[in-house]
Amino acid sequence: MAAAGAARELTQNPLQKTWEPYDNGLPAGHSAQRGVCMTNCPTLIVMVGLPARGKTYISKKLTRYLNWIGVPTKEFNVGQYRRDLVKKYKSFEFFLPDNEEGLKIRKQCALAALNDVRQYLSEENGHVAVFDATNTTRERRETIYKFGEENGYKTFFVESVCVDPEVIAANIVQVKLGSPDYVDCSNDEATEDFMKRIECYKNSYETLDETLDKDLSYIKIMDVGRSYLVNRVMDHIQSRIVYYLMNIHVTPRSIYLCRHGESELNLKGRIGGDPGLSVRGKEFAKSLAQFINEQNIKDLKVWTSQMKRTIQTAEALGVPYEQWKVLNEIDAGVCEEMTYEEIQENYPLEFALRDQDKYRYRYPKGESYEDLVQRLEPVIMELERQENVLVICHQAVMRCLLAYFLDKPAEQLPYLKCPLHTVLKLTPVAYGCKVESIFLNVEAVNTHRDKPENVEISRPTEDALVTVPAHQ
Amino acid sequence: MKDCHQPAKVCMTNCPTLIVMVGLPARGKTYISKKLTRYLNWIGVPTKEFNVGQYRRDLVKKYKSFEFFLPDNEEGLKIRKQCALAALNDVRQYLSEENGHVAVFDATNTTRERRETIYKFGEENGYKTFFVESVCVDPEVIAANIVQVKLGSPDYVDCSNDEATEDFMKRIECYKNSYETLDETLDKDLSYIKIMDVGRSYLVNRVMDHIQSRIVYYLMNIHVTPRSIYLCRHGESELNLKGRIGGDPGLSVRGKEFAKSLAQFINEQNIKDLKVWTSQMKRTIQTAEALGVPYEQWKVLNEIDAGVCEEMTYEEIQENYPLEFALRDQDKYRYRYPKGESYEDLVQRLEPVIMELERQENVLVICHQAVMRCLLAYFLDKPAEQLPYLKCPLHTVLKLTPVAYGCKVESIFLNVEAVNTHRDKPENVGVNRSREEALRTVPTHL
């Protein structure tokens, strides 16, 4: 914090192009950069619910989302701790309420997990920890809440309540039959054992109560999102978490991601701009139309950016589509419409900085991948709400969206392979996403530039350009 | 062929939405109606509110007493039903004939029977119905509401505060016996949000589409804690002096003076827990630095991107892009600079700022001319046509304080001279106008 009165001098960070104050040439305790959310004290999210209510599904999804928007988050699955400790799962009897040995081990696992939570949040700069366990008794939740208070965490409970036997049966099929616990069982044996496991918890289950738990912060999700009870949202991150949880669903569907057809500038190895499709790009558009027809997708929504090349591609489909400005390609600022050779020629320092940290690097008067993620967040939110969607976008944009669905970290995101004329079909399955890559058999230039070996600012031109893909 | 290639606004509403308020008097229904309407219009969703009490005041010229609302007052019931139907008729006209997207039906709607009627009306007309109920039993909150918005109502113009309060409490009693709150079981097939204790908790049921999801998110983020929002621009910049737009310049000498004056002003205001936000452009950050307190930089607060016109004077824009310059004057809100942005784009990118401002309490936002116009239009409910012409001069702080159903504005000029950067809409906006006509309203500069 600066002394009042004397304004500190500002210097521009060469990588991110942000202005920071400095003292005697060194960055001072500088102003906060607003990521998508500012979390002052760490948040402990505590899942609550009987087995097979979607707690782990929610934990993993929420963790993926928060990490993608830039909030360091980690999930801690107590069942996993138990599997690590008790090598072989025998039967539901482990979970009987009067099984002293079982209770002892389970408590030990919960404490081990909480200890790791503490390390993550207090020592490893984690912002959010998701504590994934049944936590079905008020007593257990008390213990965890106290743990949170002692360590200066804000605690937020997420309970999933579901009585629909069809939903529970479907959950068991999706994620329990394939669990390590049941690796040697038939499906029927596994299902029977798991149903008895659920029974072990039912008698002692104390759902979050509007009166008894009125001072806690929580969201109770009922019937897979039909209704929600939200209590005492305390801050920005909890508000965002609630909004996210209220928008996700489990209806089966697929998301199709692809880029526009090859453009005139792609052919010349130039980045950005607002060019039209090349001859092959138009071919691709027709192939895409055929592909989409053959897929016979129910109620498909089609989204494009506001750049000519994605719209031209969509036009060939002959169906309504929505244009989103936020799907526009990354703004390369002063480097717009340049080849990589020209960037190296005119901005060798910038070119090197970009290779050093491609995620955070912001083009002069342009954007970074980090900026892209922030502007794409509403797209992700709406994709979660929707069912079958085809998104026709751009290389950097598609990398960001793909990283969200495939849980790729920031370091890998800018190097994900998203070639032209290739559709990625993403289908949620179990706790993740199945990806099918379909090349539509129309040749196109390669626009993927790998990270070169030498990223130093003093590197020779040849080292800088060694990974540039061929072009006209 | 159906024209669906619309650039997506923030939300696509396929069929109109009818929002139905529910709750006893003095539970904040009109406050919520007006605020929600203001927000939806600002983000580009044509919305209008229909306050049945207003229809009643128009029909029954003089309000006598709470007895009008007694459940056995035949005459009263007849008039009230008539007003509700008149309002619903106007709703129908707005949504089905006037291209409205959302109508907010503001009345008590406290019986299941009344809500049934409205729901059927919605179904018949192809509207999606979403209920917003406000439930509150805290007598302090209710008393505060009465003071804020009832004592000054036209109904009580000839009464003392005590008389008004006493009558209004009896009015509330008239509704209590027949009040049927939205019920988790009986109303399980309806789409609604039940707001409890001014936002302490919420029950949300069957959110059907994007716009309902946005409405829920908004309602869950607003609060009524008293606070003030301070809006100002960066201090005068080097490019301001030269009449140039955009860029990323530093402060001029006078701009630095302003920053110091701002620091002094903020200190004198003695604001509790003030948050300070800037853009990521040098001139706002320099201004914040003078305050000597922590501040947060938001990229989305950056000034409108003037694309190819960045760092030009208006004279140079007229010289190089006379057609663009004229188009901008024809529709300044929707006009997008080549390779740049429009005010319409700005609003979309500022929406998270508005959402966070709603969550926060005391905040100072140091931003830019176009950005400040957008934020101000939200708080003062200015329509798109007026937004790009709102006056936001340099070195002037606007202090906004929520009061009753709106916002009080205090304008404080901090006594450091600066250039004027406000260009009024010229008379001639035709594309073949003369250079002189185009530049007539350009403010003076170096």
Side-chain angles (χ1 to χ4, degrees), chain A residues 260-261 274-275 277 285 302-319 321-324 328 392-394, chain B residues 5 7:
Chain A
H260 52 83
D274 194 14
L277 298 179
V302 179
W303 297 350
T304 71
S305 69
Q306 280 186 0
M307 295 180 141
K308 186 176 182 182
R309 52 201 186 277
T310 57
I311 297 167
Q312 267 184 298
T313 308
E315 274 292 318
L317 304 180
V319 298
Y321 55 89
E322 260 187 67
Q323 299 181 17
W324 292 64
N328 282 4
I392 305 171
C393 54
H394 305 267
Chain B
H5 311 155

Side-chain angles (χ1 to χ4, degrees), chain A residues 399-413:
Chain A
R399 283 170 172 157
C400 292
L401 299 179
L402 194 60
Y404 167 75
F405 288 109
L406 302 187
D407 203 17
K408 299 296 186 186
E411 301 71 51
Q412 294 178 28
L413 186 160

